[in-house]
């Protein structure tokens, strides 16, 4: 398959040799591993189903995180952070993964690196609340990038 190099090329049609610039939102090497599972590089049905399934999963997880913040269920917040960290890492959503890891640590009464104890529940909840703001922003940016990549017009 020949790859065009003219300026009119749509980066999402270039296959594994021409991913668009995802910036620091998405790790292209990790995302390319998902794309390699597609049977048809033009349709990309398999990877699209994984990515769009993640969007649904993330939105539900955010709702559960908001509810857990409201009820101050710190153990559940740690669990939800761990859950979303794993699925975002699979897709290469680096900023989302990093924020979820911090939430996981804060929910386990640790600092953002997971190395030092933070024995104050209210402080940990406040740190989780503050981390949720850039997490949701970074998720929205990654979602927009990926919806454009898959030519989804609902954005």
């Amino acid at each position: 398959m020949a790859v065009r190099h003219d300026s009119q090329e749509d980066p999402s049609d270039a296959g594994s040799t021409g991913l668009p610039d995802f910036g620091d939102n998405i790790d292209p090497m990790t995302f390319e591993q998902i794309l390699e599972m597609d049977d048809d590089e033009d349709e990309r049905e398999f990877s699209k189903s994984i990515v769009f399934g993640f969007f649904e999963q993330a939105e539900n997880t955010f709702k559960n995180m908001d509810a857990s913040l409201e009820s101050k269920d710190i153990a559940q917040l740690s669990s939800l952070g761990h859950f979303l960290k794993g699925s975002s890492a699979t897709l290469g959503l680096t900023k989302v993964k990093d924020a979820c890891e911090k939430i996981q640590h804060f929910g386990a009464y640790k600092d953002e690196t997971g190395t030092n104890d933070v024995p104050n529940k209210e402080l940990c909840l406040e740190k989780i609340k503050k981390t949720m703001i850039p997490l949701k922003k970074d998720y929205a940016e990654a979602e927009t990038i990926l919806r454009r990549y898959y030519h989804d017009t609902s954005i």
Side-chain angles (χ1 to χ4, degrees):
M1 178 172 134
V3 177
R4 294 181 355 215
H5 294 285
D6 61 80
S7 62
Q8 297 299 315
E9 179 179 356
D10 181 352
S12 65
D13 289 340
S16 61
T17 59
L19 285 175
D21 180 12
F22 291 138
D24 57 355
N25 288 296
I26 301 167
D27 175 53
M29 299 291 282
T30 304
F31 188 68
E32 185 149 3
Q33 291 175 353
I34 300 297
L35 296 178
E36 288 173 1
M37 293 184 241
D38 284 319
D39 290 331
D40 182 345
E41 287 185 15
D42 293 327
E43 296 297 320
R44 298 231 179 259
E45 288 180 30
F46 181 76
S47 65
K48 185 177 183 178
S49 71
I50 291 172
V51 169
F52 282 64
F54 170 77
F55 295 157
E56 192 173 308
Q57 181 184 76
E59 293 295 332
N60 288 331
T61 302
F62 289 147
K63 288 177 189 171
N64 291 334
M65 285 177 150
D66 290 340
S68 294
L69 258 176
E70 187 70 28
S71 66
K72 299 184 177 190
D73 187 345
I74 199 160
Q76 181 66 7
L77 284 160
S78 182
S79 177
L80 291 166
H82 175 75
F83 172 73
L84 196 55
K85 177 186 77 171
S87 53
S88 59
T90 299
L91 295 178
L93 305 185
T94 51
K95 287 182 170 182
V96 172
K97 174 194 65 86
D98 292 346
C100 288
E101 186 170 32
K102 289 178 185 178
I103 290 170
Q104 178 185 357
H105 292 318
F106 294 142
Y109 296 95
K110 299 283 185 183
D111 66 359
E112 68 182 41
T113 65
T115 54
N116 299 309
D117 291 338
V118 180
N120 182 321
K121 181 178 182 176
E122 291 304 318
L123 179 60
C124 289
L125 287 168
E126 186 59 33
K127 288 179 179 281
I128 290 170
K129 188 175 182 179
K130 286 183 179 177
T131 304
M132 292 286 296
I133 295 166
L135 167 61
K136 289 180 178 180
K137 176 186 164 288
D138 293 336
Y139 165 77
E141 288 174 7
E143 179 186 23
T144 298
I145 290 166
L146 290 170
R147 286 190 185 278
R148 283 188 183 134
Y149 178 79
Y150 287 106
H151 307 289
D152 180 6
T153 58
S154 67
I155 52 174

